[in-house]
Amino acid sequence: MSLRAMPTIGDTPAQATTTGPGRKRRHAVIAALAGLLVAVPSTAVAGTAGQQPTQRRQLQREVERVLREGGYVNAAIELRDGNRRVEAHAGVADLRTGRAVLPGGELRIASATKTLVATVALQLVAEGRLSLDDSVEKWLPGVVLGNGNEGSRITIRNLLQHTSGLHNYSEESADTAAGFEAARFRRTNARRLVADAMTHAPSFPPASTGDPEPNWEYSNTNYVLTGMVIERVTGRSWRTEVRHRIIRPLGLTGTYAPEDDPTLPGPYTHSYHRFADEKLWLDTTIRSMSWGDAAGELVSTHDDVNHFFTALIRGRLLPPAQLALMLDTVAMPADFDQVMPGVRDGLGLMSQPLPCGGLRWGHGGDLPGSKVRTGVTQDGSRSVVVVLNGTYEDDEHGLPAETAAQQLLDRVLCAKS
């Protein structure tokens, strides 16, 4: 999101694809990190009782490796392996003070928000209050209209799976330091964001139900509309529904929707971005996320994100039929194979084959300055959350940086306990 994001099991690259609040279309892979390494990174590892020292050392080596290979300012990882939880981190949390990265702390999860929103939508489907074949026009009459956009042709499934063709409103986001500063504390709302998208023609007609090879393009507009549909169906905002249906039942004490509040409680790990018009890192941590809305607003923690994705894959949040719908995937554009071989998109979840067999599931998020990557094994026995801060505007650093992050997920999920 700037932003400059990508959809990935998180949010990743591609040609005409972008991700979670914000990233303009580029031919290169993602607006990512610099090859510049942070001098004298500090490192640390933490864990719960019963962890094996070998596993802790391995994870520490992995986080130091991704910091080095990706050129990030700081990196942190949490692995859940059965009942064990292991954390490791490296780099500098605050370039101004040189403070080391500490375990825990809240962070902006950007497009990983989409998975929680999709889960609420599918819970409503399970309750018979919503159908994936419902049109957007049925629930939001007159909202998706004009310039070739027709809400009567777009279904809820199209929104959740990015097959609507709707323009991604965040493609108009500023890509300079000056532009970022001008918009840092700007407030907006869902209707304004959708109205902005409606000033553009769709990229393609919405896919028909059952199309085995639909056109696909990542658009934050899809999930802002999903949030609006949730409110129309329930009479309560998507934020309230996420809180009552997911956050409270799972005990996710560090997860919330900040709305217009641009702050994070400290101490936190800072995010940094190198814009094309600046030679120095810009601290992007404190900022309004109202432009993210249901597409990328949430704040959470490593532990909460791991807990949520594990609970989802293990069937604690959706009945089997609706979980199967979420895991029913379609192919994504071929450009994604550069760094995400075999990636496919479901309804708020993406999958990739693991080198050790089976699939990993998840959804990440990108903002200027930071990226979140998640992965859960198909049986839910192992899950990992990686947070990487320190990204660049130029794409030449994007491919190796994202490749390093993707390979880290594979190695950690495939490592023997």
Side-chain angles (χ1 to χ4, degrees):
M1 301 178 185
S2 84
L3 32 53
R4 310 253 105 187
M6 48 185 238
T8 100
I9 296 205
D11 280 79
T12 285
Q15 183 187 14
T17 351
T18 79
T19 103
R23 181 167 161 97
K24 299 189 175 176
R25 302 186 182 186
R26 291 199 184 265
H27 291 292
V29 191
I30 56 180
L33 323 37
L36 179 67
L37 295 178
V38 177
V40 195
S42 51
T43 60
V45 65
T48 56
Q51 290 176 9
Q52 297 179 2
T54 300
Q55 193 173 41
R56 292 197 299 268
R57 289 193 297 269
Q58 288 175 340
L59 200 64
Q60 186 59 45
R61 286 194 295 269
E62 290 290 358
V63 78
E64 292 171 359
R65 177 177 175 178
V66 77
L67 185 79
R68 180 177 64 253
E69 292 181 349
Y72 298 96
V73 171
N74 57 67
I77 184 170
E78 181 186 275
L79 169 69
R80 280 180 176 268
D81 184 5
N83 294 323
R84 295 192 297 273
R85 182 173 63 86
V86 193
E87 295 178 78
H89 36 86
V92 177
D94 185 341
L95 289 175
R96 183 178 58 85
T97 65
R99 175 172 58 85
V101 179
L102 298 174
E106 295 178 357
L107 55 103
R108 304 191 192 283
I109 65 170
S111 277
T113 298
K114 291 180 173 70
T115 311
L116 286 84
V117 172
T119 299
V120 170
L122 285 165
Q123 288 177 344
L124 295 173
V125 170
E127 294 163 10
R129 302 170 69 183
L130 183 66
S131 169
L132 291 178
D133 293 323
D134 284 348
S135 71
V136 173
E137 181 68 15
K138 173 181 177 179
W139 294 104
L140 303 173
V143 172
V144 177
L145 190 64
N147 291 308
N149 297 291
E150 297 181 50
S152 60
R153 299 180 61 194
I154 298 171
T155 65
I156 305 304
R157 188 192 306 271
N158 291 146
L159 298 182
L160 295 178
Q161 201 157 42
H162 296 295
T163 58
S164 70
L166 291 172
H167 177 77
N168 184 5
Y169 67 82
S170 57
E171 288 187 7
E172 277 61 61
S173 301
D175 58 1
T176 64
F180 177 86
E181 290 291 12
R184 185 189 284 266
F185 301 113
R186 186 175 296 160
R187 296 179 179 182
T188 187
N189 59 51
R191 286 195 171 269
R192 289 179 188 169
L193 295 170
V194 173
D196 288 345
M198 293 303 103
T199 64
H200 297 265
S203 297
F204 48 78
S208 302
T209 300
D211 185 343
E213 297 182 356
N215 287 320
W216 187 99
E217 186 174 88
Y218 198 91
S219 176
N220 292 311
T221 307
N222 291 322
Y223 274 78
V224 172
L225 284 165
T226 301
M228 294 171 68
V229 169
I230 288 170
E231 182 167 4
R232 185 60 61 89
V233 173
T234 66
R236 303 196 297 185
S237 73
W238 69 266
R239 299 173 182 89
T240 299
E241 291 299 316
V242 165
R243 183 167 63 250
H244 285 292
R245 292 169 174 269
I246 299 175
I247 294 174
R248 287 183 179 173
L250 293 183
L252 307 182
T253 57
T255 303
Y256 63 93
E259 299 189 61
D260 288 333
D261 185 353
T263 64
L264 286 175
Y268 51 77
T269 299
H270 292 242
S271 62
Y272 297 95
H273 191 65
R274 187 73 63 81
F275 286 95
D277 61 336
E278 285 286 343
K279 294 182 179 180
L280 301 176
W281 289 111
L282 180 67
D283 189 327
T284 58
T285 317
I286 303 304
R287 58 169 303 166
S288 170
M289 285 300 298
S290 64
W291 62 272
D293 198 76
E297 182 183 302
L298 291 180
V299 170
S300 191
T301 65
H302 284 80
D303 197 48
D304 279 6
V305 174
N306 251 334
H307 190 176
F308 163 69
F309 278 101
T310 299
L312 178 62
I313 292 298
R314 288 181 175 178
R316 290 183 55 192
L317 293 171
L318 291 172
Q322 281 66 47
L323 182 58
L325 289 171
M326 180 176 257
L327 304 182
D328 186 13
T329 61
V330 297
M332 288 163 58
D335 284 5
F336 282 87
D337 277 341
Q338 293 181 70
V339 290
M340 301 172 65
V343 66
R344 295 177 64 86
D345 189 32
L347 305 183
L349 273 177
M350 297 181 190
S351 70
Q352 279 181 263
L354 283 166
C356 54
L359 298 173
R360 59 172 162 97
W361 293 90
H363 199 300
D366 291 65
L367 289 168
S370 68
K371 61 176 67 178
V372 176
R373 298 290 177 263
T374 65
V376 186
T377 57
Q378 203 157 4
D379 62 359
S381 62
R382 290 168 70 89
S383 65
V384 63
V385 176
V386 179
V387 179
L388 303 161
N389 291 308
T391 59
Y392 276 54
E393 192 66 27
D394 64 288
D395 283 326
E396 73 177 274
H397 299 94
L399 181 57
E402 183 59 32
T403 298
Q406 294 292 323
Q407 291 176 349
L408 170 65
L409 293 176
D410 284 343
R411 289 194 303 269
V412 170
L413 290 175
C414 285
K416 294 182 178 180
S417 303

